[in-house]
Amino acid sequence: MPETVALDREVAAPLQGARVLVTGASGFIGSHLVAALTGAGAEVHAVSRREQVASPGVAWHRTDLAERGAAAQLLAAASPQVVFHLASAVTGGRELSLVLPTFEANLAATVRLLAAASEQAVPRVVLAGSLEEPDAASGNLPGSPYAAAKWAASGYARMFHALYAAPLVTARLYMVYGPAQRDLRKLVPYVSLALLRGEPPALSSGIRPVDWIAVDDVVDGLLVCATRAGLEGATVELGSGRLVTVREVVERLHSLIGGPPPRFGAIADRPFERVRAANLAATEATTGWRPRLSLDDGLARTVDWYRTHRGELER
C-alpha cells in the first residue's frame, strides 16, 4: 500500500466509520484509495482476484466479479454504504485477442456489480470511467477493446440510473500517474526506470496530447464523488483540464533524472488515440473539486518514489 496519501481531510470526514467496498483495490489507483479510506477511519472491504497480504484496517475479499453470483455474494457479505468500482483490465492494445477478456473484466463484471448493487439498494456507487470512451454526442467510435468496454459500461450506468434510480456517479479518469504505479509498461514508470538505469527509453513519436492527473488528486476526486449530495446520475471528469504531449512529459522526466536521450519514434504510434481534456470548469461547478498538484510537482514526487524503490521493483 502507498506510504503516504495527500488527502483532503474535509472531503474524507463523512466516510469516517462508513462501510466502504473498493474493487480493484490492489491496483494502482485502488491501493491509494484504500490507504486514504483507512486513514479517514472508514471500514474498508477490499476486492482483488488474487490473494493479498493482510493489512491493518482492511478486510480483503478474493473475488472475480465476472463470475455469475459473485457480486451479489460480495455485497451481501460486506453490506457497504459506498462502493468504488475500480476493477478493470487496463490495456491500450488493439489486438482481437483482447476483445473477450476486456468484455468479461470491464463490462460483464461491471453490469453484474451494478445489478447486485441496485437489488441491494447500496446508497452510492462510484464507477471509474475512462478518457478513452467517446462521448455519445461526438459521433466518435471507441478505438480499442478497452475503450469499447468502458463506453458500454458507462451506458449501462446511465440506464441503471434512469430506469432504477440507482445512485450512481461515473468518475471519468484522465491519464493518472504517480508514485507506486507498479505496471512498469505504463509510460511514467517505464521511462523513469529506464533513465535511472542509464538506458534510453524506446518510445513512439510522443506527439499525442494528454490530460495528466496525479493519483492523489484523483483519490480526492473519488472521495468527492462518494460524498457529495446531488451527483446521482452524473459523470464527473477528473483531470487537469490541460493537454501536454507525451514527448513533453518524457522530456520533463529526462530533465529530472538525466541519462541518455529518449528514442522517440522507435515504436509505432497506436491508431485512434483519444485526445481530450477534462471539463474542469464543469467539475468544479458541480463538486467543488479541482486538482492541487501541478504536473511538475507531481512528476518530481513520482521520480523520487521510483528512485527510492527501484531496487525492489527490478527484483
Side-chain angles (χ1 to χ4, degrees):
M1 196 176 293
E3 292 90 343
T4 58
V5 175
L7 183 63
D8 186 330
R9 300 294 172 184
E10 183 179 345
V11 169
L15 293 172
Q16 183 175 6
R19 291 186 308 280
V20 180
L21 180 72
V22 181
T23 76
S26 60
F28 170 45
I29 300 171
S31 61
H32 281 268
L33 178 60
V34 167
L37 290 167
T38 56
E43 178 187 324
V44 180
H45 292 261
V47 184
S48 176
R49 286 180 293 177
R50 298 178 179 84
E51 197 72 37
Q52 297 297 319
V53 177
S55 47
V58 181
W60 282 98
H61 302 260
R62 186 179 180 184
T63 303
D64 186 347
L65 293 170
E67 294 179 358
R68 189 180 299 274
Q73 292 174 10
L74 174 67
L75 292 179
S79 189
Q81 295 157 281
V82 179
V83 172
F84 292 95
H85 181 45
L86 307 181
S88 181
V90 181
T91 174
R94 270 59 173 167
E95 296 86 355
L96 179 61
S97 61
L98 294 172
V99 172
L100 290 179
T102 52
F103 167 79
E104 294 290 346
N106 297 345
L107 182 56
T110 298
V111 173
R112 293 186 193 283
L113 181 68
L114 295 180
S118 298
E119 289 167 356
Q120 298 185 32
V122 175
R124 178 64 63 92
V125 177
V126 180
L127 176 69
S130 171
L131 72 91
E132 295 292 342
E133 52 186 285
D135 283 322
S138 69
N140 294 327
L141 296 175
S144 68
Y146 171 80
K150 281 292 191 179
W151 183 49
S154 292
Y156 268 97
R158 290 191 294 272
M159 183 205 73
F160 272 95
H161 176 68
L163 283 182
Y164 314 120
L168 301 168
V169 181
T170 299
R172 180 174 288 154
L173 308 184
Y174 283 72
M175 192 65 79
V176 187
Y177 72 94
Q181 187 173 20
R182 295 177 184 273
D183 183 347
L184 306 186
R185 299 165 298 179
K186 299 299 183 184
L187 182 85
V188 173
Y190 165 68
V191 171
S192 298
L193 289 171
L195 292 173
L196 287 167
R197 289 193 301 267
E199 299 172 359
L203 303 161
S204 66
S205 70
I207 63 172
R208 181 192 180 190
V210 177
D211 185 331
W212 305 86
I213 182 72
V215 67
D216 287 348
D217 283 325
V218 167
V219 167
D220 280 348
L222 291 170
L223 296 174
V224 167
C225 290
T227 56
R228 287 283 193 273
L231 291 182
E232 295 84 353
T235 295
V236 177
E237 302 210 329
L238 300 182
S240 69
R242 296 179 59 244
L243 292 172
V244 178
T245 65
V246 168
R247 186 181 188 112
E248 184 175 345
V249 165
V250 171
E251 288 170 345
R252 293 189 195 197
L253 291 171
H254 186 252
S255 70
L256 288 166
I257 299 169
R263 294 169 52 216
F264 291 106
I267 60 176
D269 290 343
R270 286 175 176 158
F272 308 115
E273 292 275 35
R274 185 73 56 202
V275 176
R276 70 190 309 176
N279 187 340
L280 192 55
T283 296
E284 189 171 12
T286 55
T287 69
W289 176 91
R290 66 178 297 111
R292 293 181 289 161
L293 270 178
S294 70
L295 181 58
D296 283 335
D297 287 344
L299 290 176
R301 291 178 57 186
T302 302
V303 166
D304 285 345
W305 190 91
Y306 284 107
R307 185 176 281 117
T308 300
H309 293 269
R310 176 188 159 196
E312 166 202 341
L313 292 169
E314 294 185 341
R315 280 196 299 273

